[in-house]
């Protein structure tokens, strides 16, 4: 046993499909233990209203199991807890009775609703356009907390009458751990609900009131980095009285985990793709929503903002291409597995230089431009090999991101390094080559964007 006992920060991310928990050693700022468990709790929509809900009890159960897998000896030396999670979603509960503590974990009582997630589709575009214009630079979409509550106020007011508090799932966990009567929400999560002014850090109270929003359900606003409270009980060995940070957004924490300097941009390509950098400290967002803009500004820390270009088309484009080829081959009577074909395609493309073939692979459209689908151009007899096409696809994914966030914008903002992250970048060497050709800045890899790690580092930096 060592003479000086290490201390740890517990970082938790309550994601859409899984819960992740990590222990960060404060001295070295390194992760010493980590577990991820799937929540597998999507409910089937039987109501015909495009609802997308998850069972809160299953998520909390998964969270407790996940923490229980971490080494207890280290949990006893946790000095603070950081929470991040899926943004936009909302659940409701009754103060104080929303949770019940058993010996060393809490579970959800009957006084808690399901989590209505960011993927919920019950707010139609007609409904959304019937809402007043928010006093915010961010527009409101279906699945956003305030829109979801307004929908219930109009269509199912009796549902809201059962509850006194509302928050995101990560806010709920903070309230339960600390035994709070209400919900303390940071601008990172509040902005994701809509109808929140990030300049004044306040809800659009008058606008919401006019629209029939039950104002007592609005969470209390705190700053990103503030504490929500202290744990009210021993939790898997973590002592009672341990500080708990007010929950943060998964996007911001994910960026925090891999942006080591303010002059870094994070290029994250997994299923979809994002390019993000921190705006200068004095930047202020526009006065009203800009639905046609390909760049969004997310509140970060200390009144600063992240500029984010988020493309729906990333690694899924390559996966679709592979799937298309295997099904063509099947039709032609030849069989090959997706993974074998993938390896061969990468091999072909690595042996093939850049050509004039252009692919705009936006097969899913983009949020700001849903009808702009995929195209191939400059097709010539000399550039039709699988290698040419594979390289052009990879290049196209990046061209689209840079058409949303031009490289000059990065330069103007002082970005001098690109941090590459995400499964598609890790797996695909052709994509990495194209990344290095696309950006004049230095490109580094290896620091994977991870919200659970990020929220732990946030708290470590605040010590
Ligand atoms: C938000 O509040 C600030 C300060 O009260 C105000 O100047 C601004 O116009 C408001 N609206 C937006 C979208 O920032
Ligand atoms: C990276 O992608 C993952 C998976 O889509 C996402 O959860 C995370 O928020 C992204 N991080 C950044 C920094 O864009
Ligand atoms: C198409 O190819 C020609 C040369 O073959 C090239 O000059 C031109 O720039 C290409 N167009 C695009 C859109 O890439
Ligand atoms: C028309 C065209 O793009 N031709 C190019 C095809 O790719 C080779 C390199 O693989 C180039 O040399 C050709 O110019
Ligand atoms: C949907 C979308 O933004 N598509 C863009 C992809 O990138 C090309 C240029 O590289 C644009 O022309 C498309 O509009």
């Amino acid at each position: 046993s060592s003479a000086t006992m290490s201390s740890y920060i517990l970082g938790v991310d309550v994601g859409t499909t899984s819960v992740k928990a990590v222990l960060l050693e404060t001295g070295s700022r390194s992760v010493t233990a980590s577990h991820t468990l799937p929540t597998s709790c999507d409910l089937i929509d039987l109501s015909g209203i495009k609802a997308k809900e998850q069972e809160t009890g299953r998520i909390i159960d998964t969270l407790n199991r996940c923490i229980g897998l971490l080494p207890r000896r280290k949990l006893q030396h946790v000095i603070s807890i950081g929470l991040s999670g899926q943004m936009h979603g909302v659940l409701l509960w009754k103060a104080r009775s929303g949770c019940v503590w058993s010996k060393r974990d809490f579970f959800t009582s009957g006084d808690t609703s399901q989590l209505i997630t960011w993927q919920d589709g019950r707010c139609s575009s007609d409904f959304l356009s019937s809402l007043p214009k928010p006093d915010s630079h961010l527009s409101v979409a279906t699945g956003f907390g305030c829109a979801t509550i307004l929908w219930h106020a109009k269509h199912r007011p009796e549902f809201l009458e059962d509850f006194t508090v509302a928050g995101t799932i990560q806010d709920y966990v903070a309230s339960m751990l600390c035994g709070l009567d209400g919900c303390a929400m940071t601008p990172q999560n509040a902005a994701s609900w809509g109808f929140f002014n990030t300049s004044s850090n306040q809800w659009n109270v008058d606008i919401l009131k006019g629209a029939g929003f039950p104002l007592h359900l609005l969470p209390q606003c705190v700053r990103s980095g503030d504490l929500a409270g202290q744990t009210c009980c021993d939790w898997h060995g973590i002592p009672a009285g341990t500080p708990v940070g007010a929950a943060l957004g998964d996007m911001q924490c994910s960026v925090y985990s891999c942006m080591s300097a303010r002059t870094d941009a994070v290029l994250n390509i997994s299923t979809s793709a994002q390019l993000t950098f921190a705006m200068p400290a004095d930047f202020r967002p526009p006065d009203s929503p800009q639905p046609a803009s390909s760049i969004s500004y997310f509140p970060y820390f200390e009144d600063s903002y992240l500029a984010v270009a988020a493309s729906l088309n990333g690694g899924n484009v390559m996966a679709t291409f592979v799937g298309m080829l295997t099904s063509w081959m099947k039709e032609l009577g030849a069989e090959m597995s997706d993974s074998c074909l993938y390896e061969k395609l990468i091999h072909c493309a690595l042996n093939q230089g850049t050509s004039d073939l252009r692919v705009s692979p936006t097969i899913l459209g983009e949020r700001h431009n849903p009808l702009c689908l995929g195209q191939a151009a400059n097709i010539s007899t000399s550039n039709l090999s699988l290698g040419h096409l594979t390289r052009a696809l990879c290049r196209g994914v990046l061209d689209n991101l840079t058409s949303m966030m031009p490289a000059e914008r990065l330069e103007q903002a002082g970005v001098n390094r690109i941090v590459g992250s995400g499964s598609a970048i890790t797996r695909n060497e052709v994509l990495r080559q194209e990344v290095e050709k696309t950006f004049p800045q230095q490109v580094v890899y290896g620091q994977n964007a991870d919200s659970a790690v990020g929220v732990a580092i946030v708290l470590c930096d605040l010590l």
Side-chain angles (χ1 to χ4, degrees):
S1 72
S2 62
T4 51
M5 201 57 196
S6 298
S7 59
Y8 303 91
I9 293 171
L10 174 68
V12 173
D13 180 56
V14 188
T16 309
T17 56
S18 63
V19 170
K20 179 166 186 178
V22 306
L23 284 173
L24 186 89
E25 208 260 321
T26 52
S28 59
R29 291 173 98 241
S30 61
V31 174
T32 64
S34 149
H35 274 287
T36 307
L37 287 180
T39 43
S40 49
C41 60
D42 265 335
L43 300 179
I44 305 160
D45 174 23
L46 297 172
S47 57
I49 54 168
K50 299 189 185 145
K52 203 79 165 139
E53 302 186 354
Q54 296 185 335
E55 232 172 293
T56 307
R58 294 264 294 261
I59 298 174
I60 298 306
D61 180 52
T62 308
L63 169 65
N64 277 310
R65 280 188 294 120
C66 200
I67 306 300
L69 290 171
L70 293 168
R72 198 175 167 85
R73 206 169 33 78
K74 291 182 175 171
L75 287 171
Q76 288 164 346
H77 296 277
V78 163
I79 57 165
S80 69
I81 301 174
L83 300 162
S84 86
Q86 42 176 314
M87 298 195 287
H88 309 299
V90 56
L91 75 163
L92 299 104
W93 65 95
K94 254 189 199 164
R96 283 287 170 181
S97 51
C99 96
V100 182
W101 279 85
S102 72
K103 238 189 294 155
R104 49 189 193 84
D105 54 9
F106 64 88
F107 55 90
T108 302
S109 76
D111 294 327
T112 300
S113 78
Q114 321 262 35
L115 166 63
I116 304 171
T117 76
W118 58 276
Q119 293 163 312
D120 190 84
R122 80 188 73 198
C123 298
S124 65
S125 47
D126 279 351
F127 175 78
L128 291 168
S129 56
S130 76
L131 299 179
K133 193 170 144 299
D135 174 29
S136 169
H137 70 285
L138 297 164
S139 22
V140 178
T142 187
F144 284 25
C146 281
T148 304
I149 292 175
L150 283 166
W151 186 93
H152 283 91
K154 178 161 183 212
H155 296 285
R156 293 195 183 161
E158 67 288 353
F159 167 78
L160 298 177
E161 283 159 16
D162 288 339
F163 305 106
T164 57
V165 194
T168 65
I169 183 72
Q170 55 272 28
D171 296 318
Y172 176 76
V173 172
S175 289
M176 296 304 110
L177 282 175
C178 302
L180 303 180
D181 276 334
C183 171
M185 199 186 246
T186 62
Q188 297 186 2
N189 287 313
S192 81
W193 269 22
F195 294 100
F196 183 81
N197 180 330
T198 58
S199 303
S200 61
N201 277 340
Q202 276 168 9
W203 296 106
N204 297 169
V205 172
D206 293 335
I207 295 172
L208 286 170
K209 191 174 178 187
F213 190 102
L215 295 182
H216 66 278
L217 290 177
L218 283 177
Q220 181 206 334
C221 303
V222 297
R223 292 165 54 92
S224 300
D226 282 358
L227 293 184
Q230 280 100 34
T231 52
C232 60
C233 295
D234 176 283
W235 190 39
H236 297 276
I238 302 172
T242 302
V244 179
L248 300 171
D250 53 1
M251 202 272 153
Q252 289 87 346
C253 291
S254 157
V255 169
Y256 203 89
S257 71
C258 59
M259 191 187 278
S260 46
R262 281 195 78 85
T263 46
D264 285 347
V266 179
L267 172 66
N268 183 40
I269 311 184
S270 48
T271 304
S272 54
Q274 298 87 26
L275 182 56
T276 307
F277 64 87
M279 294 298 287
D282 61 356
F283 168 81
R284 292 292 164 261
D287 267 348
S288 58
Q290 320 274 310
S293 168
S294 57
I295 300 180
S296 311
Y297 299 102
F298 284 58
Y300 198 39
F301 292 94
E302 290 171 357
D303 299 326
S304 74
Y305 289 83
L306 293 175
V308 183
S311 170
L312 300 173
N313 304 281
N316 51 4
V317 165
M318 189 69 183
T320 303
F321 182 53
V322 168
M324 178 191 87
L325 289 177
T326 47
S327 84
W328 282 10
M329 286 170 63
K330 207 165 173 183
E331 284 181 62
L332 295 168
E335 299 257 345
M336 192 186 281
S337 73
D338 278 10
S339 58
C340 184
L341 188 85
Y342 179 85
E343 295 311 324
K344 283 192 196 298
L345 286 178
I346 297 294
H347 180 78
C348 292
L350 285 174
N351 291 320
Q352 197 62 256
T354 307
S355 74
D356 296 320
L357 179 63
R358 288 285 168 273
V359 177
S360 175
T362 53
I363 50 177
L364 298 171
E366 293 295 5
R367 282 191 190 87
H368 65 283
N369 195 355
L371 298 180
C372 179
L373 299 178
Q375 297 182 26
N378 248 7
I379 305 169
S380 74
T381 47
S382 57
N383 282 333
L384 273 180
S385 73
L386 278 178
H388 283 117
L389 190 50
T390 304
R391 190 172 282 283
L393 264 183
C394 293
R395 177 67 191 208
V397 168
L398 296 166
D399 282 348
N400 249 95
L401 260 182
T402 53
S403 80
M404 295 166 73
M405 173 102 76
E408 306 86 72
R409 288 278 314 252
L410 296 179
E411 265 169 81
Q412 282 161 14
V415 169
N416 57 25
R417 201 168 73 147
I418 309 284
V419 180
S421 157
S423 54
I425 290 209
T426 309
R427 271 185 85 189
N428 185 338
E429 188 180 343
V430 181
L431 191 57
R432 289 198 296 277
Q433 289 180 345
E434 294 302 321
V435 168
E436 287 155 34
K437 282 187 223 157
T438 301
F439 296 98
Q441 293 88 351
Q442 181 200 7
V443 182
V444 294
Y445 306 101
Q447 196 73 14
N448 247 327
D450 184 311
S451 311
V453 175
V455 73
I457 300 178
V458 169
L459 289 193
C460 192
D461 287 349
L462 287 171
L463 286 180

